[in-house]
Amino acid sequence: MFAYHRQLIADSPRSLAYRDALRRVVKSGDAVIDLGSGSGVLAFFAAEAGARRVYAIERGHMADAISLLVSHLGFADRIEVRHQHSREVELPERASVLVSETLGSFGLEEQIISQTIDARARLLTEDATIIPRRVALWLVPVELPDLHERHVSWWSKPRYGFDLSPIRVFASNTLVTGDITAAAYLARPARIIDVDLTTVTDPNVSGRASFEAERDGVLHGFGGWFDATLIEGITLANDEPHATCWAQVFLPLDEPVALTRGTRVEAELESHDGTAWRWRGRAGEREFDQTTWLSAPPCIK
């Protein structure tokens, strides 16, 4: 638990971007919500920036560590820790600033959309500032034979005399994290989903993108990442040029597709509040349709 949060705190581009955003928007007298507070560092930044009251909402047991640090740092008169899921929280006032770093490697996996929608309705003033303001998802066709072999093709070969190949279909419908560099790109990346967290009303989002292969190669799947606009002028991203604690994601194809330069690749991406994903489309003459709903066999118990 602490090793994970040490990694987050030590990610200075991430931490300093949030600190700078809070310093620019928090005013004396503001009530601030830190949703999914984790280690509490964003709540500490908000208090340092002059907030009158900060509600640090954390459903995990890191809430106990936040309480310890609040007392140690002398913030007990300004930071109130709530050891609850944000949807269960009731506050004595509506906050004018919401800050949240519930961002996964593909942006939406920690249900930042639905939690923000709920907070807007119940916990925030109508003109509240929301950090991050926007989250956009990017996709790019990639040639990644080693990653595909490790996570998908591996299951097709007999192991110790046993045929384990029925597992391959589940493995190929799973999002995998990894380091994806520009050397693997078969085309130019495209922004496929763009979510405005100040106005979005449906946690299920989707988008389409079209690509043209810039070289011959084998399409093993798609690389993905996010960029987040915290406030105007301050952004965070986890694509390869940006060194952050987030890796990128790999959306594999069950069967790789050989591409020649100029081949069109069409993709549609759906996110069901970040808990389930679907990627489908066409690469040349080959169609594909995959979803994390098929990432495990059905439970028969």
Side-chain angles (χ1 to χ4, degrees):
M1 180 170 73
F2 292 108
Y4 171 73
H5 286 283
R6 176 196 55 76
Q7 182 184 25
L8 296 179
I9 296 169
D11 183 346
S12 56
R14 163 199 175 271
S15 299
L16 293 177
Y18 270 95
R19 186 191 68 179
D20 292 346
L22 286 164
R23 285 180 173 180
R24 280 178 48 179
V25 304
V26 173
K27 302 182 293 296
S28 178
D30 277 346
V32 177
I33 292 173
D34 176 13
L35 193 158
S37 192
S39 65
V41 69
L42 301 188
F44 307 152
F45 287 154
E48 183 185 56
R52 168 183 53 81
R53 176 67 63 182
V54 181
Y55 298 98
I57 302 172
E58 172 55 48
R59 66 177 173 177
H61 285 292
M62 277 302 293
D64 304 315
I66 300 171
S67 296
L68 172 67
L69 291 173
V70 164
S71 177
H72 172 71
L73 294 170
F75 288 136
D77 61 330
R78 283 180 286 162
I79 298 179
E80 182 177 326
V81 181
R82 296 294 187 96
H83 189 171
Q84 297 173 280
H85 194 288
S86 65
R87 293 186 181 91
E88 302 169 351
V89 168
E90 294 184 5
L91 299 179
E93 60 182 326
R94 287 184 174 252
S96 55
V97 178
L98 171 72
V99 62
S100 179
E101 197 279 80
T102 50
L103 293 166
S105 292
F106 210 15
L108 308 181
E109 301 98 309
E110 297 182 27
Q111 292 79 64
I112 192 171
I113 299 180
S114 61
Q115 293 183 106
T116 301
I117 291 171
D118 175 71
R120 287 194 343 240
R122 299 189 306 107
L123 306 175
L124 300 180
T125 61
E126 288 187 4
D127 60 347
T129 298
I130 295 174
I131 305 172
R133 179 184 180 86
R134 305 184 74 93
V135 178
L137 306 187
W138 291 75
L139 211 63
V140 63
V142 290
E143 183 172 34
L144 288 170
D146 292 343
L147 202 59
H148 193 276
E149 167 63 29
R150 186 182 316 140
H151 292 283
V152 179
S153 301
W154 187 91
W155 293 99
S156 295
K157 301 172 185 176
R159 305 290 168 177
Y160 312 108
F162 302 118
D163 177 12
L164 308 179
S165 61
I167 302 300
R168 176 176 172 138
V169 66
F170 306 117
S172 67
N173 283 281
T174 302
L175 263 63
V176 177
T177 57
D179 296 322
I180 300 175
T181 69
Y185 297 177
L186 289 166
R188 294 188 180 185
R191 181 180 294 174
I192 192 165
I193 292 176
D194 194 354
V195 180
D196 185 339
L197 289 171
T198 68
T199 60
V200 63
T201 58
D202 187 344
N204 304 316
V205 293
S206 63
R208 290 184 171 89
S210 180
F211 308 90
E212 182 177 318
E214 296 188 333
R215 61 178 176 87
D216 296 350
V218 176
L219 174 66
H220 292 98
F222 297 87
W225 58 87
F226 73 87
D227 71 58
T229 301
L230 302 188
I231 60 172
E232 191 66 32
I234 299 180
T235 61
L236 272 177
N238 69 321
D239 54 330
E240 179 243 340
H242 298 91
T244 67
C245 59
W246 292 285
Q248 296 81 48
V249 296
F250 175 52
L251 293 72
L253 296 184
D254 182 37
E255 293 292 342
V257 181
L259 300 181
T260 57
R261 183 177 179 180
T263 301
R264 302 297 300 181
V265 177
E266 307 291 336
E268 180 178 355
L269 178 68
E270 300 174 9
S271 167
H272 297 267
D273 198 19
T275 62
W277 300 82
R278 185 180 186 184
W279 56 107
R280 55 181 170 171
R282 177 184 293 272
E285 298 302 315
R286 179 86 64 83
E287 293 186 350
F288 58 90
D289 190 348
Q290 297 185 219
T291 173
T292 56
W293 294 113
L294 296 176
S295 61
C299 181
I300 58 175
K301 186 174 180 180

